[in-house]
Amino acid sequence: MPTEVALLESRALRVEQMGRVDVLDKVKSLVMLPDGIHVRTEDVARYFEVSTGAVKRLTDRHQEELAESGLRVLRGADLQSFHSDMLSLWTREGVESYPQAATQLRLYTRRTVLNVAMLLRDSDIARCVRTYLLDAEESLRTRYASLDQRVTRIESCLTGVGSALQELGPVLVRMSERLDSLDRKVEVTHQVIGAMSLRLTDVQQDVVRVDGRLDTFARQLKDLRRRSGQRGQR
């Protein structure tokens, strides 16, 4: 885990933390200009509870790095245009006057202010911001380590499952072969039953014919007996 000193000394570490602008409001409310995007040098000084001179000196020493994180220096026509836009927004909010810089104006974004917090040594507010950043990174590292352990356990379980599936493979093959054999036997049984059903149909027809012949024979026998009885009476 990087230390506060490392954060103060390493530009690469500061770049890694540049997206954590939410930390600023966790420490203290940062009052933006009416555009909701920029703050001035005096606003930055007020946030960190230091002098404007301290902020200007730090900005001069790290101008290239701060420019990459959003620092702008307005002069001439750009400055006048910005003042005009801010004055319009300021008046819309009911404020009668807007403080205008005479020759140049340094504008900081929230990313720039966070960058200043990682550079400014003599400010308790800046130290609090750095502490939040480092604590958040440690928490992220802890969650990552926990996730890594969980993934490792899952991989171990999957290894066991793979071995079990390899052992189960031959068993499944044998079961499949037995089921195929059973299917064939059932099919043969169906064929035999079908043949038997046809044979029983033929037998039923034979029984009907025999029954008809027996009825005929019974009637003939009855007639014969009746005629024999009539001859005996004579």
Side-chain angles (χ1 to χ4, degrees):
M1 173 182 174
T3 63
E4 183 179 358
V5 173
L7 195 61
L8 287 166
E9 300 295 336
S10 172
R11 181 172 177 176
L13 289 178
R14 292 194 292 271
V15 171
E16 290 179 3
Q17 302 294 334
M18 203 61 69
R20 298 298 314 279
V21 294
D22 58 297
V23 172
L24 296 172
D25 289 324
K26 292 181 179 180
V27 176
K28 184 180 178 182
S29 177
L30 177 62
V31 180
M32 311 296 293
L33 288 174
D35 65 353
I37 300 175
H38 299 98
V39 291
R40 301 161 301 176
T41 302
E42 51 266 39
D43 301 318
V44 177
R46 190 177 301 110
Y47 177 82
F48 289 112
E49 299 177 1
V50 296
S51 66
T52 55
V55 176
K56 288 179 179 179
R57 287 190 295 273
L58 183 140
T59 303
D60 290 337
R61 287 196 305 271
H62 302 278
Q63 188 167 1
E64 179 184 352
E65 178 179 343
L66 294 174
E68 290 183 1
S69 64
L71 176 68
R72 297 171 59 197
V73 180
L74 301 183
R75 300 181 180 87
D78 291 336
L79 177 60
Q80 294 302 319
S81 176
F82 181 81
H83 280 325
S84 177
D85 292 340
M86 289 301 102
L87 182 59
S88 175
L89 293 172
W90 209 285
T91 303
R92 191 180 306 169
E93 294 182 1
V95 180
E96 295 181 356
S97 63
Y98 163 72
Q100 301 184 27
T103 57
Q104 70 173 26
L105 177 65
R106 297 184 184 187
L107 293 176
Y108 305 72
T109 64
R110 296 176 69 84
R111 287 170 61 90
T112 319
V113 176
L114 180 62
N115 204 157
V116 171
M118 292 185 283
L119 290 167
L120 190 59
R121 297 175 182 270
D122 300 325
S123 167
D124 291 336
I125 301 299
R127 279 190 288 270
C128 286
V129 172
R130 292 192 291 270
T131 298
Y132 266 100
L133 287 173
L134 296 174
D135 288 347
E137 181 169 343
E138 176 62 20
S139 175
L140 181 61
R141 288 177 184 271
T142 301
R143 290 199 297 270
Y144 176 80
S146 175
L147 178 60
D148 184 62
Q149 293 173 359
R150 292 171 63 185
V151 170
T152 301
R153 289 197 297 269
I154 292 173
E155 290 176 344
S156 300
C157 293
L158 290 177
T159 301
V161 171
S163 301
L165 289 176
Q166 290 178 351
E167 297 175 359
L168 187 60
V171 176
L172 293 175
V173 171
R174 290 195 296 271
M175 289 181 63
S176 177
E177 292 174 349
R178 293 179 64 183
L179 289 173
D180 290 341
S181 176
L182 181 60
D183 285 340
R184 290 193 293 270
K185 290 180 180 179
V186 169
E187 180 64 26
V188 172
T189 302
H190 285 165
Q191 294 175 358
V192 171
I193 292 174
M196 290 178 64
S197 177
L198 293 174
R199 181 57 182 163
L200 288 174
T201 300
D202 294 340
V203 170
Q204 183 181 14
Q205 292 174 353
D206 292 341
V207 169
V208 170
R209 286 194 297 271
V210 170
D211 189 58
R213 293 178 65 182
L214 287 174
D215 289 341
T216 302
F217 179 75
R219 287 193 300 272
Q220 291 175 351
L221 182 61
K222 185 176 180 180
D223 291 342
L224 181 60
R225 286 177 179 175
R226 188 174 61 252
R227 286 194 297 271
S228 297
Q230 290 174 355
R231 283 195 299 266
Q233 290 176 357
R234 293 175 185 176

